[in-house]
Amino acid sequence: GTSTLDLIWINVICPMMHLYGIRQGRPGYCDRALQWLEKLPPEDNKWTRIWKQTGMAAENARQSQGVLLQIRDYCDQKKCLHCRIGHRILSTSRGLRQTYP
């Protein structure tokens, strides 16, 4: 269906186009790949749903990819205090206890 096709664009076509642009020294391809990600809907998965609960929902696929990168580089590494978003979440009165029951 449509969501499967979107996932192929998000996880295969756009990254390959971006990589091609980098390898060939053609930044226009990188820009085009990022523009496509901005036009695609955000991924809907466990991590983007958790992120949405914090009040920071991704508006497009580029942002949802950023969420996944953020989780890999900061959350999974338990570097919350080195991350502006993690720091914000930890410093709110709501905190993570309501996000992760």
Side-chain angles (χ1 to χ4, degrees):
T2 303
S3 62
T4 302
L5 187 56
D6 288 344
L7 288 175
I8 291 170
W9 273 93
I10 293 168
N11 293 303
V12 178
I13 296 171
C14 290
M16 292 299 291
M17 180 110 160
H18 194 271
L19 180 63
Y20 177 80
I22 291 171
R23 296 279 171 112
Q24 296 298 316
R26 301 184 68 181
Y29 282 92
C30 298
D31 294 340
R32 190 173 307 149
L34 295 175
Q35 289 170 357
W36 286 344
L37 286 174
E38 289 173 354
K39 292 179 182 177
L40 290 166
E43 284 189 64
D44 180 32
N45 58 41
K46 171 186 171 182
W47 300 112
T48 57
R49 286 190 295 273
I50 289 172
W51 208 259
K52 189 175 185 177
Q53 289 176 355
T54 68
M56 296 180 276
E59 296 176 10
N60 56 49
R62 183 175 179 176
Q63 290 179 359
S64 68
Q65 289 299 294
V67 165
L68 298 175
L69 182 66
Q70 194 76 15
I71 289 168
R72 186 193 76 197
D73 291 350
Y74 290 94
C75 303
D76 290 349
Q77 303 297 320
K78 301 194 185 329
K79 295 182 178 180
C80 304
L81 297 178
H82 300 281
C83 167
R84 288 179 20 185
I85 296 167
H87 191 268
R88 178 179 163 204
I89 292 169
L90 290 172
S91 66
T92 63
S93 60
R94 180 175 160 198
L96 290 175
R97 284 174 239 183
Q98 290 182 357
T99 304
Y100 296 105

